[in-house]
Amino acid sequence: METATQLLIAGGRDGFGLDGTAYTEVVDAAHRAPSWLDGLASAYSTYGLALFAVLMVIGWWRARDQDARRAVLALAAPALTVIAFAVSTGLKQVVREDRPCRSLRVITLEACPAPGDWSFPSNHATLAAAAAVALWFVSVRLGAVATVAALAMALSRVWVGAHYPHDSLAGLAVGALVALPLARAVSRHALTAAGFLGRTVRLRPLITS
């Protein structure tokens, strides 16, 4: 039997009216899909965010000795992504939308999160979109790869049943809208920051000697 606290936590909003039919169609498609496709989607949904970290490291590695501005942007990318995640998490607590797998009680590829783990917006989609935007400032090629990966992440979260489509779309929007102005601000001051970091690195041996 659920406790009063559990019932209170579970009392979130129901997002079915926005695109619940589309959600059930995607979940049904996942059940009919080949097992290898479901396995791939589940694995990417769970571990795919690591790809964005790898792209950030690649961006920094390529720029570190050739382009100080881009190297600073690559170093800033994780911070911008974390800020977007914080905004997304705050929105979850304000909107308090129940997970579709909980309110609809459907069988999904991914285990349904516990009550109180709200659905809107998708944190995974937010992180992916913020990382993609930040990477565009580091490298057009890396940004393009990250954008495709972010769209795939948003789709995978619906495919495994963790989110409504509007949750993933909102996550993409939040990530992009938070990261874009921050990345522009970092870009404007990147050379100054690079000079400061350069002086810090050169002084470090003197400080520690």
Side-chain angles (χ1 to χ4, degrees):
M1 179 181 294
E2 290 183 312
T3 66
T5 301
Q6 288 174 321
L7 289 171
L8 179 62
I9 291 175
R13 293 183 174 87
D14 183 5
F16 182 84
L18 292 175
D19 50 16
T21 301
Y23 169 82
T24 56
E25 289 176 352
V26 172
V27 170
D28 288 342
H31 289 316
R32 297 191 301 269
S35 58
W36 65 264
L37 178 59
D38 285 342
L40 182 63
S42 296
Y44 185 68
S45 175
T46 302
Y47 304 110
L49 290 176
L51 171 63
F52 298 92
V54 171
L55 293 176
M56 290 176 189
V57 171
I58 292 173
W60 172 79
W61 185 261
R62 289 179 174 177
R64 72 192 193 287
D65 294 327
Q66 301 174 358
D67 191 325
R69 175 177 164 277
R70 294 192 179 193
V72 168
L73 286 164
L75 289 173
L80 305 187
T81 304
V82 170
I83 292 172
F85 172 77
V87 173
S88 177
T89 301
L91 285 173
K92 280 180 178 287
Q93 299 305 315
V94 172
V95 177
R96 296 168 66 90
E97 178 192 83
D98 281 327
R99 294 276 182 170
C101 51
R102 180 161 298 279
S103 58
L104 300 179
R105 300 185 182 279
V106 295
I107 298 174
T108 57
L109 297 182
E110 183 177 284
C112 196
D117 187 344
W118 308 113
S119 190
F120 180 94
S122 164
N123 276 341
H124 281 70
T126 298
L127 288 166
V133 168
L135 284 166
W136 273 104
F137 286 79
V138 178
S139 163
V140 171
R141 184 173 298 176
L142 291 177
V145 171
T147 298
V148 173
L151 294 174
M153 176 58 71
L155 176 59
S156 75
R157 297 302 289 164
V158 181
W159 189 265
V160 300
H163 290 285
Y164 289 110
H166 69 262
D167 298 330
S168 285
L169 291 174
L172 292 175
V174 170
L177 291 174
V178 172
L180 183 57
L182 293 176
R184 285 177 173 170
V186 172
S187 181
R188 286 195 296 269
H189 303 286
L191 289 178
T192 301
F196 173 77
L197 290 173
R199 290 193 298 273
T200 302
V201 171
R202 286 195 294 272
L203 288 173
R204 188 174 299 159
L206 298 176
I207 295 174
T208 57
S209 62

